[in-house]
Amino acid sequence: MVEKRQTLPILSNVLFTLRQGILKLSATDLEIELQTLINVPSDEDTQFTVPARKIFDIVRGLTESADINLTLKGDHLTVISGRSRFRLGVLPAADFPSIETKTATESIRINPLALKRLLEHTAFSMAQQDVRYYLNGLLMEITSTRICTVGTDGHRLAFSELAVNTDVIEPLQVILPRKAVLELNRLITPSDEDMSIELSSNHARFLLQGKIFTSKLIDGRFPDYQRVIPEDNPVSVFIDRIVLRSALQRAAILSNEKFRGIRVELENNLLKLVAHNPEQEEATEEIEVEFDQPESIAIGFNVSYLIDVLNVLDCEKIEIQLRDSNSSGIIKDPDDDNNLYVVMPMRL
């Protein structure tokens, strides 16, 4: 989590805090913070910081069963393992910053893998460095009966929800920063134990097994995502997901590298994909589909957006709901309403 280049040298370090046989490692970039707790056979109480990248590389180079002895003397830390010996410079622990959090107003419990699925199904739709800063993150909405996540960059939207009983009385919304979402998704590993999510007005804290992950929240108003989801797309097309994804990937090779547009034509149970580029090259793919509308439909989409959706869905067959060539399309698993994806059309 520690960045290689920091404006403050202390942020390139990891804080070691030893108290009553528990070693706590802390790293932060002032926006997110990760703490890990380890039981160690020691009665000492001490605190120091050491360069994160160096200590990580040293430990990674040792065998998994190797014992490590740390000795702090003055402004240096000595790391000894077998016949290996390293002497590292340290910085004062007093200079290490911590994220100041307010008292949590809400606390919920959730299965870690369930949260991971929510993140994985929506994180890819987050914006990157958008001037609308509230889009550079993921909305988490919590009610008494469900938790849902929503990501959008203004051109597409991903929605995923999970039915779960919480103690939340009034529905609440928080926006997790992009970096926090990606880091949290990486941290979650399979576990039988539920994890806790503590929320305050400016921070979210996630308590996993032996880890405490804290993130600042984006202070902004997320768009009303329910208004973006079309309520009545009368045309439904059912397609084999793997077949469609393969066809899109092939057609994308000759799409415009900048705009990534692809034309989707539907007529008589046949879906036709057409891609062009400025070099006057063309790709055409045809797929048999379930499409019972008497009238044909032609619509343009960003091919990368379609492929992203098909990569996160794991169903055998998908459903695409359409209205006309100027309206957004919905992509979903026909047997699952918990995950839904909206893609805006392109003019080609």
Side-chain angles (χ1 to χ4, degrees):
M1 194 188 80
V2 177
E3 300 287 352
K4 292 183 179 180
R5 297 180 181 179
Q6 293 282 4
T7 53
L8 297 174
I10 193 73
L11 295 180
S12 296
N13 281 24
V14 60
L15 174 66
F16 282 63
T17 303
L18 180 60
R19 297 284 187 271
Q20 299 179 345
I22 298 178
L23 177 63
K24 180 171 70 175
L25 307 181
S26 305
T28 183
D29 65 356
L30 301 181
E31 295 294 327
I32 59 177
E33 178 183 80
L34 177 62
Q35 298 177 336
T36 301
L37 305 179
I38 307 170
N39 292 316
V40 297
S42 175
D43 297 328
E44 294 186 23
D45 289 351
T46 187
Q47 198 174 38
F48 58 89
T49 79
V50 67
R53 177 55 56 180
K54 293 178 182 177
I55 191 71
F56 173 75
D57 288 342
I58 289 172
V59 173
R60 183 175 60 176
L62 300 173
T63 61
E64 291 187 7
S65 60
D67 291 328
I68 301 174
N69 182 275
L70 305 179
T71 304
L72 179 67
K73 187 174 183 180
D75 57 357
H76 283 86
L77 176 74
T78 301
V79 181
I80 300 176
S81 180
R83 295 186 177 182
S84 301
R85 183 185 182 93
F86 308 89
R87 188 167 178 262
L88 301 173
V90 300
L91 293 175
D95 296 339
F96 193 85
S98 62
I99 295 181
E100 297 294 332
T101 61
K102 296 182 180 180
T103 302
T105 55
E106 298 288 351
S107 178
I108 62 174
R109 295 189 67 80
I110 185 175
N111 180 275
L113 291 185
L115 177 60
K116 188 178 181 70
R117 284 193 294 270
L118 287 174
L119 300 179
E120 289 177 339
H121 277 89
T122 51
F124 69 91
S125 284
M126 293 185 295
Q128 298 187 51
Q129 299 180 335
D130 197 295
V131 293
R132 297 164 294 181
Y133 60 93
Y134 47 84
L135 296 184
N136 300 317
L138 195 70
L139 173 71
M140 179 177 289
E141 184 176 71
I142 304 171
T143 70
S144 60
T145 58
R146 70 166 191 164
I147 299 176
C148 77
T149 54
V150 184
T152 180
D153 59 7
H155 303 286
R156 56 178 170 174
L157 180 143
F159 168 88
S160 183
E161 71 174 345
L162 172 72
V164 59
N165 292 323
T166 72
D167 295 328
V168 173
I169 300 175
E170 294 293 330
L172 61 90
Q173 291 186 341
V174 298
I175 307 176
L176 297 173
R178 177 184 179 83
K179 183 175 181 179
V181 172
L182 300 179
E183 190 68 28
L184 179 61
N185 189 42
R186 188 184 66 82
L187 287 173
I188 296 176
T189 56
S191 171
D192 294 330
E193 295 185 18
D194 285 352
M195 60 179 287
S196 294
I197 303 176
E198 298 178 353
L199 301 172
S200 67
S201 59
N202 60 345
H203 289 87
R205 175 164 286 170
F206 301 85
L207 286 71
L208 301 92
Q209 278 189 319
K211 301 184 183 72
I212 303 173
F213 180 71
T214 306
S215 170
K216 289 184 177 181
L217 297 175
I218 294 179
D219 183 13
R221 186 176 180 83
F222 201 82
D224 184 356
Y225 67 88
Q226 293 181 342
R227 295 181 59 185
V228 178
I229 301 174
E231 293 184 356
D232 183 22
N233 277 11
V235 179
S236 289
V237 186
F238 298 91
I239 316 171
D240 184 286
R241 182 180 66 90
I242 299 298
V243 171
L244 177 60
R245 185 178 65 179
S246 298
L248 287 169
Q249 290 171 336
R250 291 191 298 268
I253 297 171
L254 297 185
S255 66
N256 187 305
E257 293 184 2
K258 182 178 181 181
F259 300 107
R260 305 289 286 168
I262 191 167
R263 182 179 175 86
V264 178
E265 301 175 359
L266 285 159
E267 186 175 14
N268 298 329
N269 287 329
L270 193 68
L271 180 145
K272 185 177 180 181
L273 304 174
V274 183
H276 299 274
N277 61 33
E279 288 76 34
Q280 304 300 313
E281 297 170 328
E282 180 181 279
T284 303
E285 292 276 348
E286 291 187 350
I287 307 171
E288 291 185 359
V289 299
E290 296 177 35
F291 174 66
D292 296 330
Q293 287 294 118
E295 297 181 5
S296 62
I297 293 180
I299 186 170
F301 287 117
N302 182 309
V303 66
S304 297
Y305 293 171
L306 299 179
I307 293 173
D308 285 344
V309 172
L310 299 181
N311 281 336
V312 297
L313 287 173
D314 55 8
C315 51
E316 180 179 342
K317 183 177 292 186
I318 65 156
E319 178 183 2
I320 301 179
Q321 299 176 351
L322 302 170
R323 172 179 290 276
D324 52 47
S325 61
N326 299 314
S327 303
S328 297
I330 294 177
I331 305 175
K332 61 187 290 290
D333 178 345
D335 299 320
D336 180 14
D337 293 327
N338 292 327
N339 300 294
L340 182 146
Y341 304 91
V342 179
V343 182
M344 293 181 62
M346 292 180 65
R347 289 188 177 183
L348 298 177

